[in-house]
Amino acid sequence: MRLADGSEWILRHPSYRPTGSSLTDPDIDGPLDRLYDSIVIEQQASLIDVWEIARRLIEPNYDLEAPEIEQLLEVAEGPECQSFVESILGVLFGRRDRERSYTEWIRASMMSNGIDVIQTSGDRLSEVMGVLVSTGRTIPAGKFIEAHAVASDLAALESLV
C-alpha cells in the first residue's frame, strides 16, 4: 500500500486463530474491537484505531523506529484519509470487490466448519457441501456468489455518485 512517503509498503495481513492469548497475529485485538464498534455504532471508522492497526501491521515487516512509522502513516483529511482507511479495512477484512466464486464458497464453508480441505476427497465434496447446506451450517452457493454481484452493483452505483 502507498504510504505518506509515496512508496509502496507491505503490511502484514493478520491471521485469525481462536487459540492463544489473542485472536489475531500480530495482536491487533484491542484496536480491531474498537474499530469494529465505531463502524457499527457510530457509522464511521475510528482513525486512531486505524492508525494503531496500521502501525502494528507494518512493524513486523520493517525495522523502523516509532517516529518513522508515524511519518509514514500521516494522511491529509478528505480523499487521502478515506483511501487510507479503506486500504487498512481491505487488509483486515479483504477487499469488498474480491471474487466470490464456487471454489471460494467451498473454501469458506469448509473452513468455518472445521473441515480439513486437504483431507476431503473430490468424490465426497458434493455430499459434504449438501450436508452443510441442509443442516444450515453454510449458505447455498448461489447466495454466496450473489453477494459478489450485489457488491459489484453497489460499487458501480457509488462510482456514479
Side-chain angles (χ1 to χ4, degrees), residues 98-111:
R98 73 183 185 276
E99 184 178 343
R100 302 268 179 152
S101 64
Y102 178 71
T103 56
E104 287 300 316
W105 168 70
I106 291 172
R107 180 178 290 113
S109 297
M110 295 179 90
M111 286 175 61

Side-chain angles (χ1 to χ4, degrees), residues 12-19 22-26 28-29 32 53 57 88-94 111:
R12 177 143 172 223
H13 286 259
S15 58
Y16 298 85
R17 64 199 186 309
T19 59
S22 69
L23 173 67
T24 55
D25 180 32
I28 57 169
D29 289 7
L32 179 59
I53 290 167
L57 297 179
I88 297 301
L89 292 177
V91 170
L92 293 173
F93 306 115
M111 286 175 61

Side-chain angles (χ1 to χ4, degrees), residues 58-148:
I58 200 170
E59 284 177 335
N61 292 350
Y62 302 96
D63 185 24
L64 299 170
E65 299 294 324
E68 294 172 300
I69 294 173
E70 288 174 21
Q71 287 178 344
L72 286 172
L73 299 179
E74 288 180 358
V75 291
E77 289 184 44
E80 182 181 337
C81 183
Q82 183 64 32
S83 176
F84 176 75
V85 169
E86 288 174 6
S87 294
I88 297 301
L89 292 177
V91 170
L92 293 173
F93 306 115
R95 294 185 350 258
R96 284 177 36 180
D97 63 346
R98 73 183 185 276
E99 184 178 343
R100 302 268 179 152
S101 64
Y102 178 71
T103 56
E104 287 300 316
W105 168 70
I106 291 172
R107 180 178 290 113
S109 297
M110 295 179 90
M111 286 175 61
S112 65
N113 282 283
I115 299 170
D116 188 341
V117 178
I118 296 170
Q119 294 180 4
T120 304
S121 65
D123 61 339
R124 297 277 187 206
L125 187 59
S126 63
E127 295 169 8
V128 169
M129 298 311 295
V131 168
L132 293 178
V133 170
S134 67
T135 58
R137 292 173 60 194
T138 194
I139 61 173
K143 286 188 178 186
F144 182 84
I145 296 167
E146 280 176 14
H148 174 64

